[in-house]
Amino acid sequence: MIKKYVFGNPIETGATVQKIPESLSKISVMQMEKTEDKVVLFYNMEKEDIVYGLGEQVRGINKRGFSYISYATDDPIHTEGKHSLYGIHNFLIVSGKWTFGIFIDDPGKVIFDVGETSMETLKITAGKDCVIYTIEAESLKGIVKQFRQLVGRSYIPPKWAFGYQQSRWGYENQKDIKDVISGYKDHKIPLEAVYLDIDYMEHYKDFTVDKEKFSDFPKFVNELKEQNIHLVPIIDAGVKIEEGYSVYEEGVENNYFCKEEDGKDFTAAVWPGKVHFPDMLNTKAREWFGGKYELLTKQGIDGFWNDMNEPAIFYSEENLKKVLEEIIAMKDENLDIHSFFHLKDLVGSLSNSSIDYAAFYHNMDGLKICHKDVHNLYGFYMTKAAAEAFEKIEPKKRILLFSRSSYIGMHRYGGIWTGDNHAWWQQLLLSIQQMPSLNMCGILYTGSDIGGFGGDTTKDLLLRWLEFGIFTPLMRNHSAAGTRKQEVYQFGDTKDFRNIIRIRYALIPYLYSEFMKAALEDEMYFRPLAFDYPEDTSAKRVEDQLMVGESIMIAPVYIQNAYGRYIYLPEEMLMVRMKSPEEKQFEVWEKGDHYIEIALNEVVFFIKKNHMLPLAILDDMVNTTADLDESRYEWIGFAEERAEYTLYRDDGISKTYTPQKDWKSYVFSEEDFADKYQILG
Amino acid sequence: MIKKYVFGNPIETGATVQKIPESLSKISVMQMEKTEDKVVLFYNMEKEDIVYGLGEQVRGINKRGFSYISYATDDPIHTEGKHSLYGIHNFLIVSGKWTFGIFIDDPGKVIFDVGETSMETLKITAGKDCVIYTIEAESLKGIVKQFRQLVGRSYIPPKWAFGYQQSRWGYENQKDIKDVISGYKDHKIPLEAVYLDIDYMEHYKDFTVDKEKFSDFPKFVNELKEQNIHLVPIIDAGVKIEEGYSVYEEGVENNYFCKEEDGKDFTAAVWPGKVHFPDMLNTKAREWFGGKYELLTKQGIDGFWNDMNEPAIFYSEENLKKVLEEIIAMKDENLDIHSFFHLKDLVGSLSNSSIDYAAFYHNMDGLKICHKDVHNLYGFYMTKAAAEAFEKIEPKKRILLFSRSSYIGMHRYGGIWTGDNHAWWQQLLLSIQQMPSLNMCGILYTGSDIGGFGGDTTKDLLLRWLEFGIFTPLMRNHSAAGTRKQEVYQFGDTKDFRNIIRIRYALIPYLYSEFMKAALEDEMYFRPLAFDYPEDTSAKRVEDQLMVGESIMIAPVYIQNAYGRYIYLPEEMLMVRMKSPEEKQFEVWEKGDHYIEIALNEVVFFIKKNHMLPLAILDDMVNTTADLDESRYEWIGFAEERAEYTLYRDDGISKTYTPQKDWKSYVFSEEDFADKYQILG
């Protein structure tokens, strides 16, 4: 049961797709206070209540005990003290004595104090103009399903996007890309895509390709495509200011850029130096910017990642000038400790400054609106720009698309990655915990930078991260310039890496099928245990295990030097321990708590009772998803009586999803398996 | 068996006290390569080897999988990617097929690559002038004991330093201190000491007290002392440059400050603005600086914390001037992205710059030595300055003294706190993991800033941190200016806080006795489980439980919203669950892995079989250690046959430790306890 409450004069954010009549009664699930410029909601939490949600945020699956600030922020240091990351997802569920969901549709700053100030008080502070939806249902899954129906079907990528992908900020040119591909080929490790970070462009100009680095780009793209390897270029939000650069000139001419109050195009600086920001909230500008992706699709590109679209601002001209003037004025003063701190503060305040976000405006199809009030929509609308263009460019074909910044609603147009994390074990845990929160909010195609983006990774961290990453729809190894090289062949013996990535490929029939079911049925691919075992109080406390699809549970190791880990089994399950697709061991473990040893080169997961899953039978030479033989499977299952599995399949590329045709049910009884948990060839 | 190897012409660091003859053979435990400017050691680790040690560092008890850089650094962001913290402790133990300890006595930069570059390779890179000690013994405890005999007996604080202490950067004046004391008194919560951070001084001048903030300081100090509350002022390393300030003038006149190459006093800027650094490595300067502590002891002060002694440098005059000139030169250039990054780098490079550390010199009793080569000794020698002065000022009385920076050897003169941490759960875990590593290196009087120094704490974090902090010898709640107020009475109902702090007081007879035994017998107060259960392979993997003294094991909860935690019991143990000193529950748990629920207001610990411990019987009005009635105890124990405990007691303040007189053995048999794990009144 969804109720919709409207306060003030909110703009249409595009978050929702379902028409819900406005409720004229008071909000029933929380208390409300309305001031001149705020809507504030309160809820008195019981001690045992759990708060789920908020999508891409720091801390655990249970969000209690911290204040989260919804304001899209380019901040690569994701410690537990940070209040904002790149994506904004104002949906949460309070689960306890009373259970309900709440979605705050407000693209400006919203603060969720989930028991930080007072342990028992949930306090949500939104702007005066907002739409609030409350959802009540009989179960957590039911609330999520209703919410997802409200906000629309999740983006579906091409099937190849489930392959293993390699990225690095620092692949400069054709040779670098070729070296990476050879590195994988030489070690017979599957590789599906290589990413182009900012260096491929001509002076970081969107939609250009540097001709010195790529002498014949379309030829190169298509050569790789013949090997079923995709090149995925980055697109940044800011358009470089440069005479003669057509995107810039068209934008200026047609007033497609965000403007200062007086109508001048707003100038900020990011990677290309000075840029203007396309006014993604303006339909014409969006159509125009989206259309530019064709400059790359027509060269053979079929995947993109949209970056810097919080939008990140390194500095604005205005602001930098002021800061420099202040610094220069210091010169003649006594250079004391105050000058030093002032200098530090001045320089520190240059990036992503609220002054800058308040200094430019959108023309939202006639409505002039200050950026700060719709800040969280920018990444969403940039991605919408691309996706709507793809509908025209390639109406029948799925194009890979994901974004750094996002807002509820963007999940209809693309996925996200979880931004510039670090090569810290703590971040591996964070990425595990973010997955179900993102899924709740509709973001299904997602994953973290495996191995860590910033900082030097270690072999053991990369192995453990991959062992989790093989379950995330987006499985991409990505790292920053200047860090230790992170391709899996950079750490000596590649056997373990090869085996783990091959296990991913063996799992793809299941993972893809489960992803598609979650997308088509508005469900969650990753779920906290409590969603599947709502009556189990022990399941409720589990913060580091996830249900993945209908058949399995995972419990990744995320602690350095660990011999294994503690795992809670909410019911008797079949443990599958894999060293490679070929080396599998099975053990039945009873319900309860166990310490289970998991070596550095092992993948472990658990099959629920009377569930099963198909594994692809891999040829030694499987390089990409195109090489997967899906004419037959190896079934593994745990059939106490009978196990049933409905397999979703399709061509992986077209946009028609026909359940009747694509879905097939497999049923096996205990006797079908040689042993009750044996393999079925 | 200790072997000593000398390379080049090392200076005498004062780390060791035992005379060991120089070994002329090759180092046997590791391979060595000597280059013109480096000594490099290699060891090929087995997969199962564990590396313990390195004192105050990031990451787990097992240090494998990272590179640690020994170079004392004032950095408050203790994420797992940081390579250096404040204290430097170049002692580690490799435990496995072959077990040995190694101590690199080199006060310059030393790098420990513990399997980061290659998982199997331990590589230690020291300077060309160093002394290396290797230690072999039959057990981990044996290695530690030999090492500790080599480096000398650990500092022993007065007994009152085991009381609960409150600190905050931001207590400005007498009124603020009084308010804190009233806050505790009003809620009947024990409080032993209040700290004075930098604000008590007159313009941050060492050994001054601002008369406007404290109208009659000695009177105030002594008023508090009548309540058995101690005031503990901070002393910073840098001496403010100010005409008429006697410490500055004497230092200049007598050449007691560190100098630039040309003989000019080196100027850096820290809290007071421009300062000179006393040349702590010069005997006369050290005697002079140490003597200044008497300016405060004669006003009644009997405890100090030495800060900023890495030494931290916010900037040097020279460096800031250069940076400002570069910035000014930018003005006329095109302000592009490169200028911006350059500006950021310039400002970022100002603090703790290696350029500055290379720009000043010590006069080590005639030997001119560049600071960078002895950098890690500065905090050690500042603390030695104070401790040696105390020997003269108060030869018979213990004075509380601890430091931020340290080096092996400093543990003879004072304790440390673990520096400017953050209000993060991750930092609570880090502080648990640092304790045994610090104890190995001789640092027994230690603890972390409970609740977290930087960032806003939460009630639950503070509770959980206190529940661990009641076991650390230094139990101090400390927080930074600008953060949420962190005294325990700032979070509404104080009952749980009061109970936990009172449990600390009940435990003091045991904790103090165990601390004193560890100090007097060169043992560890906190130990990893593997030190007590070397044959137990499960004990070896435990990274978040500690043995505390001879009788108990602790397993603190360090995860937000946790219902409890997994605990490994290396043998059958008696669990003691306390809500207050009066509310205790006992349960016997068998050897193995368990999930144990631990509520937010509960302290849980485990008594080893045939062990016991005394609890102080608390009056409702116990405010300080002086109020503890130690004429009788409540004994709790787990006597399967008989339990024995040797209690160390003394007057808590004098420096004579007479084991024969102070130590008393208590023996109880199973029948003495009403139930075998009952209480003995």
Side-chain angles (χ1 to χ4, degrees):
Chain A
M1 170 67 173
I2 304 184
K3 285 188 184 168
K4 174 181 178 177
Y5 304 88
V6 180
F7 300 93
N9 295 299
I11 62 148
E12 176 50 67
T13 63
T16 59
V17 296
Q18 226 175 28
K19 294 268 168 277
I20 306 281
E22 184 182 341
S23 171
L24 298 172
S25 60
K26 274 172 57 178
I27 289 181
S28 60
V29 297
M30 294 182 79
Q31 280 184 287
M32 199 196 72
E33 270 176 27
K34 209 171 166 325
T35 68
E36 209 170 297
D37 60 347
K38 300 241 171 302
V39 172
V40 187
L41 298 165
F42 295 92
Y43 182 74
N44 191 28
M45 296 182 285
E46 300 273 321
K47 217 172 175 180
E48 295 76 20
D49 286 358
I50 296 176
V51 177
Y52 296 102
L54 295 179
E56 187 184 38
Q57 261 296 1
V58 297
R59 305 216 172 196
I61 291 175
N62 184 353
K63 308 312 284 186
R64 284 186 74 156
F66 195 59
S67 280
Y68 307 87
I69 300 176
S70 289
Y71 209 68
T73 304
D74 171 25
D75 181 343
I77 313 289
H78 309 163
T79 53
E80 60 184 276
K82 291 299 168 74
H83 298 277
S84 308
L85 298 176
Y86 315 88
I88 301 307
H89 314 108
N90 294 337
F91 172 57
L92 56 77
I93 298 178
V94 175
S95 166
K97 206 169 162 185
W98 199 6
T99 295
F100 61 90
I102 187 157
F103 167 46
I104 313 294
D105 190 7
D106 176 349
K109 188 181 286 182
V110 179
I111 302 170
F112 295 86
D113 180 343
V114 191
E116 180 186 57
T117 302
S118 159
M119 285 189 70
E120 293 74 30
T121 308
L122 167 64
K123 179 183 173 191
I124 303 174
T125 308
K128 68 181 193 326
D129 302 306
C130 62
V131 183
I132 295 176
Y133 297 87
T134 65
I135 307 174
E136 289 178 280
E138 292 212 341
S139 67
L140 293 167
K141 285 182 175 179
I143 290 173
V144 169
K145 192 154 191 152
Q146 284 191 48
F147 175 65
R148 296 275 298 283
Q149 287 166 342
L150 172 67
V151 298
R153 181 198 280 181
S154 296
Y155 163 76
I156 295 173
K159 189 172 180 181
W160 64 260
F162 287 77
Y164 173 73
Q165 313 184 48
Q166 180 65 55
S167 183
R168 181 172 174 88
W169 169 24
Y171 296 157
E172 281 277 340
N173 52 36
Q174 196 156 321
K175 184 183 173 302
D176 288 348
I177 306 291
K178 280 186 170 171
D179 286 349
V180 170
I181 293 169
S182 304
Y184 279 90
K185 281 241 183 334
D186 292 349
H187 295 94
K188 294 190 189 172
I189 302 168
L191 177 68
E192 198 88 24
V194 183
Y195 281 68
L196 298 172
D197 207 317
I198 51 174
D199 298 304
Y200 79 96
M201 292 179 266
E202 205 183 291
H203 304 297
Y204 309 126
K205 284 182 287 185
D206 275 343
F207 311 112
T208 67
V209 178
D210 190 316
K211 285 196 182 58
E212 294 198 0
K213 297 173 176 174
F214 298 88
S215 56
D216 188 342
F217 191 66
K219 189 173 160 232
F220 183 56
V221 172
N222 287 299
E223 268 172 28
L224 297 187
K225 219 170 237 178
E226 278 161 29
Q227 306 168 51
N228 295 308
I229 293 175
H230 302 258
L231 268 189
V232 183
I234 200 167
I235 305 293
D236 277 4
V239 169
K240 185 173 173 63
I241 298 176
E242 186 183 284
E243 296 296 321
Y245 167 40
S246 65
V247 183
Y248 160 71
E249 290 187 340
E250 289 168 26
V252 170
E253 204 176 296
N254 295 291
N255 290 308
Y256 286 153
F257 294 127
C258 293
K259 292 186 180 296
E260 292 180 17
E261 182 140 40
D262 63 5
K264 211 174 83 185
D265 290 332
F266 174 74
T267 299
V270 275
W271 294 117
K274 275 155 215 159
V275 301
H276 294 322
F277 290 126
D279 188 352
M280 303 293 182
L281 273 57
N282 179 283
T283 304
K284 281 195 183 139
R286 194 163 63 244
E287 278 170 5
W288 162 76
F289 188 81
K292 295 295 165 197
Y293 283 78
E294 196 170 4
L295 294 170
L296 290 161
T297 57
K298 73 182 181 199
Q299 299 183 63
I301 293 297
D302 53 6
F304 296 91
W305 47 317
N306 285 344
D307 196 15
M308 300 290 286
N309 52 7
E310 292 71 25
I313 295 180
F314 291 164
Y315 63 90
S316 69
E317 210 165 14
E318 207 76 8
N319 220 344
L320 182 59
K321 223 180 274 168
K322 265 189 228 155
V323 163
L324 279 173
E325 273 162 26
E326 275 207 61
I327 294 174
I328 289 162
M330 277 182 192
K331 199 205 158 186
D332 306 318
E333 287 172 31
N334 184 17
L335 289 183
D336 63 2
I337 200 80
H338 300 289
S339 321
F340 165 72
F341 282 117
H342 189 53
L343 176 65
K344 265 183 67 161
D345 289 348
L346 280 173
V347 175
S349 71
L350 278 171
S351 296
N352 306 318
S353 155
S354 56
I355 296 168
D356 288 332
Y357 291 136
F360 68 95
Y361 292 79
H362 297 274
N363 170 4
M364 228 178 147
D365 301 342
L367 182 72
K368 179 178 172 183
I369 191 157
C370 182
H371 175 77
K372 75 171 168 44
D373 297 323
V374 289
H375 174 67
N376 297 331
L377 291 182
Y378 196 86
F380 168 8
Y381 276 76
M382 177 186 180
T383 300
K384 184 175 154 112
E388 286 178 343
F390 298 157
E391 285 291 335
K392 291 177 200 155
I393 300 167
E394 289 276 14
K396 292 191 175 158
K397 203 175 116 186
R398 303 180 218 166
I399 302 230
L400 173 61
L401 179 62
F402 59 93
S403 171
R404 192 167 72 183
S405 189
S406 57
Y407 182 82
I408 297 277
M410 200 206 78
H411 69 284
R412 300 194 300 274
Y413 301 100
I416 68 161
W417 88 103
T418 56
D420 298 344
N421 61 8
H422 270 78
W424 301 340
W425 292 82
Q426 184 59 22
Q427 302 267 287
L428 165 54
L429 172 60
L430 178 63
S431 80
I432 295 166
Q433 293 174 324
Q434 285 176 332
M435 290 299 124
S437 309
L438 287 167
N439 274 204
M440 277 174 63
C441 298
I443 297 153
L444 297 181
Y445 189 75
T446 186
S448 58
D449 286 349
I450 291 172
F453 177 72
D456 294 330
T457 203
T458 53
K459 185 177 180 180
D460 55 344
L461 178 58
L462 184 56
L463 279 167
R464 292 295 196 196
W465 210 319
L466 285 164
E467 286 159 18
F468 167 62
I470 60 171
F471 296 100
T472 59
L474 167 61
M475 182 191 184
R476 184 178 73 142
N477 176 339
H478 183 41
S479 56
T483 64
R484 182 180 190 173
K485 286 186 176 168
Q486 199 164 296
E487 299 81 20
V488 302
Y489 52 79
Q490 304 282 6
F491 301 85
D493 183 22
T494 55
K495 187 167 99 325
D496 294 340
F497 289 110
R498 176 172 191 264
N499 282 335
I500 292 165
I501 293 169
R502 282 170 56 82
I503 293 171
R504 162 67 168 214
Y505 278 82
L507 284 166
I508 283 179
Y510 174 72
L511 301 179
Y512 183 72
S513 172
E514 290 304 311
F515 178 93
M516 293 302 294
K517 286 189 230 169
L520 298 176
E521 298 175 355
D522 298 317
E523 284 174 357
M524 290 164 74
Y525 168 93
F526 283 119
R527 298 177 304 284
L529 270 56
F531 279 55
D532 284 36
Y533 302 93
E535 301 305 321
D536 181 337
T537 52
S538 294
K540 283 182 191 163
R541 60 159 153 90
V542 177
E543 284 269 332
D544 56 3
Q545 304 172 206
L546 299 174
M547 309 308 300
V548 184
E550 67 174 63
S551 300
I552 70 173
M553 180 183 83
I554 61 169
V557 175
Y558 54 85
I559 291 179
Q560 191 164 32
N561 299 316
Y563 294 39
R565 53 162 291 173
Y566 288 105
I567 299 175
Y568 174 70
L569 266 58
E571 59 172 317
E572 189 184 48
M573 288 183 175
L574 175 70
M575 184 176 80
V576 184
R577 184 191 294 277
M578 295 174 86
K579 275 199 166 50
S580 73
E582 295 75 32
E583 296 161 89
K584 291 183 282 288
Q585 284 173 10
F586 299 90
E587 277 169 57
V588 175
W589 286 77
E590 64 184 19
K591 174 180 160 80
D593 296 300
H594 307 279
Y595 186 89
I596 297 180
E597 294 198 357
I598 304 170
L600 199 51
N601 61 350
E602 289 178 340
V603 170
V604 159
F605 61 88
F606 298 83
I607 305 179
K608 292 169 76 170
K609 199 178 279 184
N610 297 328
H611 283 77
M612 60 185 197
L613 66 153
L615 293 179
I617 300 166
L618 300 194
D619 196 276
D620 189 53
M621 294 304 297
V622 161
N623 293 318
T624 70
T625 49
D627 301 329
L628 287 176
D629 169 14
E630 296 213 35
S631 66
R632 66 203 179 97
Y633 303 101
E634 179 182 56
W635 287 91
I636 57 177
F638 183 29
E640 196 173 58
E641 289 146 19
R642 71 197 276 282
E644 188 175 334
Y645 184 76
T646 302
L647 181 66
Y648 176 91
R649 303 204 307 186
D650 61 18
D651 64 5
I653 195 71
S654 70
K655 285 182 176 166
T656 45
Y657 314 106
T658 50
Q660 295 76 358
K661 187 170 143 279
D662 298 334
W663 296 32
K664 188 172 166 189
S665 274
Y666 294 82
V667 181
F668 295 113
S669 69
E670 190 187 342
E671 298 90 61
D672 290 327
F673 293 94
D675 188 356
K676 76 172 173 176
Y677 49 84
Q678 254 302 8
I679 304 161
L680 210 79
Chain B
M1 170 68 174
I2 304 184
K3 284 189 186 166
K4 175 181 179 178
Y5 305 88
V6 179
F7 299 93
N9 295 300
I11 62 147
E12 175 53 66
T13 63
T16 60
V17 296
Q18 226 175 27
K19 294 267 168 279
I20 306 281
E22 185 182 340
S23 171
L24 298 173
S25 60
K26 276 173 57 176
I27 290 180
S28 60
V29 297
M30 295 181 78
Q31 281 184 284
M32 199 196 72
E33 271 177 26
K34 210 171 165 325
T35 67
E36 210 171 296
D37 60 346
K38 299 241 172 304
V39 171
V40 188
L41 298 165
F42 295 92
Y43 182 75
N44 191 27
M45 296 182 285
E46 301 272 320
K47 217 172 175 180
E48 295 76 20
D49 286 358
I50 296 176
V51 177
Y52 295 102
L54 295 179
E56 187 185 39
Q57 262 296 3
V58 297
R59 303 218 172 196
I61 291 175
N62 183 353
K63 308 312 285 186
R64 285 187 73 156
F66 195 57
S67 280
Y68 306 88
I69 299 177
S70 289
Y71 209 69
T73 304
D74 171 25
D75 181 342
I77 313 291
H78 309 165
T79 53
E80 60 184 276
K82 292 299 168 74
H83 298 277
S84 308
L85 297 176
Y86 315 88
I88 302 306
H89 313 107
N90 295 338
F91 172 57
L92 56 77
I93 298 178
V94 176
S95 166
K97 206 169 163 186
W98 199 7
T99 295
F100 60 90
I102 187 156
F103 168 45
I104 314 294
D105 190 8
D106 177 348
K109 188 180 283 182
V110 179
I111 301 170
F112 295 85
D113 181 343
V114 192
E116 181 187 58
T117 303
S118 159
M119 284 189 72
E120 293 75 28
T121 308
L122 167 64
K123 179 183 174 189
I124 304 174
T125 308
K128 70 179 193 324
D129 303 306
C130 63
V131 183
I132 294 176
Y133 297 87
T134 65
I135 307 174
E136 290 179 278
E138 291 211 340
S139 67
L140 293 167
K141 285 181 174 178
I143 291 173
V144 169
K145 191 155 191 151
Q146 284 191 47
F147 175 66
R148 297 276 297 285
Q149 287 166 344
L150 172 67
V151 298
R153 181 197 279 177
S154 296
Y155 162 77
I156 295 173
K159 188 171 181 180
W160 63 260
F162 286 77
Y164 172 73
Q165 313 184 49
Q166 180 65 55
S167 183
R168 181 173 174 87
W169 168 26
Y171 296 156
E172 281 276 340
N173 52 36
Q174 195 156 321
K175 184 185 173 300
D176 287 347
I177 307 289
K178 281 186 170 172
D179 286 348
V180 170
I181 293 169
S182 303
Y184 279 90
K185 281 238 183 336
D186 292 349
H187 296 94
K188 293 190 188 173
I189 301 168
L191 177 68
E192 199 89 26
V194 184
Y195 281 69
L196 298 172
D197 207 316
I198 51 175
D199 298 303
Y200 79 96
M201 293 180 266
E202 204 184 290
H203 303 298
Y204 308 126
K205 283 182 288 185
D206 276 342
F207 311 113
T208 67
V209 178
D210 189 314
K211 284 194 181 61
E212 293 197 1
K213 296 173 176 174
F214 297 88
S215 56
D216 187 341
F217 191 67
K219 188 172 161 234
F220 183 56
V221 172
N222 288 298
E223 269 172 27
L224 297 189
K225 220 171 236 181
E226 278 163 28
Q227 305 168 50
N228 294 308
I229 293 175
H230 302 258
L231 268 191
V232 183
I234 200 167
I235 305 293
D236 277 4
V239 169
K240 184 173 173 66
I241 298 175
E242 187 182 282
E243 295 297 320
Y245 168 39
S246 65
V247 183
Y248 159 70
E249 290 186 340
E250 289 169 26
V252 171
E253 204 175 295
N254 296 290
N255 291 308
Y256 287 154
F257 294 127
C258 292
K259 291 188 180 294
E260 292 180 16
E261 181 138 39
D262 63 3
K264 211 175 85 185
D265 290 333
F266 174 74
T267 299
V270 275
W271 294 118
K274 274 155 217 161
V275 300
H276 294 321
F277 289 126
D279 188 353
M280 302 293 182
L281 272 58
N282 178 282
T283 304
K284 280 192 184 143
R286 195 164 62 245
E287 278 171 7
W288 162 75
F289 189 81
K292 296 296 166 195
Y293 284 78
E294 196 171 5
L295 293 170
L296 291 161
T297 57
K298 73 183 181 198
Q299 298 184 63
I301 293 298
D302 52 6
F304 296 91
W305 47 318
N306 285 344
D307 195 15
M308 300 291 284
N309 52 6
E310 292 71 28
I313 295 180
F314 291 164
Y315 64 89
S316 69
E317 211 166 13
E318 207 75 7
N319 219 345
L320 182 59
K321 224 181 273 167
K322 264 189 232 155
V323 163
L324 279 173
E325 274 162 23
E326 277 208 59
I327 294 174
I328 289 161
M330 276 181 193
K331 198 204 159 187
D332 305 319
E333 288 170 30
N334 184 16
L335 288 183
D336 63 3
I337 199 81
H338 301 287
S339 323
F340 165 72
F341 281 117
H342 188 53
L343 176 65
K344 264 183 69 161
D345 289 348
L346 280 172
V347 174
S349 72
L350 278 171
S351 296
N352 307 318
S353 155
S354 55
I355 297 169
D356 288 332
Y357 290 138
F360 68 95
Y361 292 80
H362 296 275
N363 169 4
M364 227 176 148
D365 301 341
L367 181 72
K368 180 177 171 183
I369 191 158
C370 182
H371 175 77
K372 76 173 166 43
D373 297 322
V374 289
H375 175 66
N376 296 331
L377 291 182
Y378 196 87
F380 170 6
Y381 276 77
M382 178 187 180
T383 300
K384 184 176 154 111
E388 286 178 343
F390 298 158
E391 284 293 331
K392 291 179 199 155
I393 299 166
E394 288 276 15
K396 293 191 175 158
K397 204 177 117 186
R398 304 180 217 165
I399 302 234
L400 173 61
L401 178 63
F402 59 93
S403 172
R404 192 168 72 184
S405 189
S406 57
Y407 182 81
I408 298 277
M410 200 205 78
H411 68 284
R412 301 194 300 275
Y413 302 101
I416 68 161
W417 87 103
T418 57
D420 298 344
N421 60 8
H422 269 77
W424 301 342
W425 293 82
Q426 184 61 23
Q427 303 267 287
L428 166 54
L429 173 60
L430 178 64
S431 79
I432 295 165
Q433 293 174 325
Q434 285 176 332
M435 290 299 124
S437 309
L438 287 167
N439 275 203
M440 279 175 62
C441 299
I443 297 154
L444 297 181
Y445 189 74
T446 187
S448 58
D449 286 349
I450 292 171
F453 176 72
D456 293 331
T457 204
T458 53
K459 185 178 181 180
D460 54 345
L461 177 58
L462 184 55
L463 279 167
R464 292 295 195 195
W465 209 320
L466 285 165
E467 287 159 16
F468 166 62
I470 60 171
F471 296 100
T472 58
L474 167 61
M475 183 190 183
R476 184 177 74 142
N477 176 339
H478 182 42
S479 56
T483 63
R484 182 180 192 174
K485 287 187 176 167
Q486 198 164 296
E487 300 81 18
V488 302
Y489 51 80
Q490 304 281 7
F491 301 85
D493 184 20
T494 54
K495 186 165 104 310
D496 294 340
F497 289 110
R498 177 172 189 263
N499 282 335
I500 292 164
I501 293 170
R502 281 170 56 83
I503 292 172
R504 161 71 166 208
Y505 278 81
L507 284 166
I508 283 178
Y510 173 73
L511 301 179
Y512 183 70
S513 173
E514 291 304 310
F515 179 92
M516 292 303 293
K517 287 190 232 170
L520 298 176
E521 298 176 355
D522 297 316
E523 284 174 355
M524 291 164 72
Y525 168 94
F526 283 119
R527 297 177 305 282
L529 270 54
F531 279 54
D532 284 36
Y533 303 92
E535 301 305 319
D536 181 337
T537 51
S538 294
K540 283 183 192 162
R541 61 160 152 89
V542 177
E543 285 269 332
D544 55 3
Q545 304 173 204
L546 299 174
M547 310 307 301
V548 184
E550 66 173 65
S551 300
I552 70 173
M553 181 183 84
I554 61 169
V557 175
Y558 52 85
I559 291 178
Q560 191 164 32
N561 299 316
Y563 293 40
R565 53 162 290 174
Y566 288 104
I567 299 176
Y568 174 69
L569 266 58
E571 60 173 317
E572 189 184 49
M573 288 183 174
L574 176 70
M575 183 176 80
V576 184
R577 185 191 293 276
M578 295 173 86
K579 276 199 163 53
S580 72
E582 295 74 32
E583 295 161 89
K584 291 184 283 290
Q585 284 174 9
F586 300 90
E587 277 171 56
V588 175
W589 287 78
E590 64 184 22
K591 175 181 158 81
D593 297 300
H594 307 278
Y595 186 90
I596 297 179
E597 295 198 356
I598 304 170
L600 199 52
N601 62 350
E602 289 179 339
V603 169
V604 159
F605 60 89
F606 297 84
I607 304 180
K608 291 169 76 170
K609 200 178 278 183
N610 296 330
H611 283 77
M612 58 184 198
L613 68 153
L615 293 179
I617 301 166
L618 301 193
D619 195 276
D620 190 52
M621 292 305 293
V622 162
N623 293 318
T624 70
T625 50
D627 301 329
L628 287 177
D629 169 13
E630 295 213 36
S631 65
R632 64 200 181 98
Y633 303 101
E634 179 181 55
W635 287 91
I636 57 176
F638 184 29
E640 195 173 57
E641 289 145 18
R642 72 197 276 283
E644 188 175 335
Y645 185 75
T646 302
L647 182 66
Y648 175 92
R649 302 205 307 186
D650 61 19
D651 65 5
I653 195 71
S654 70
K655 283 183 177 167
T656 45
Y657 315 107
T658 50
Q660 295 76 0
K661 188 168 144 280
D662 299 335
W663 297 32
K664 189 172 166 191
S665 275
Y666 294 82
V667 181
F668 294 113
S669 69
E670 190 187 343
E671 299 90 59
D672 289 327
F673 294 96
D675 188 355
K676 74 171 174 176
Y677 49 84
Q678 255 301 7
I679 304 162
L680 210 80

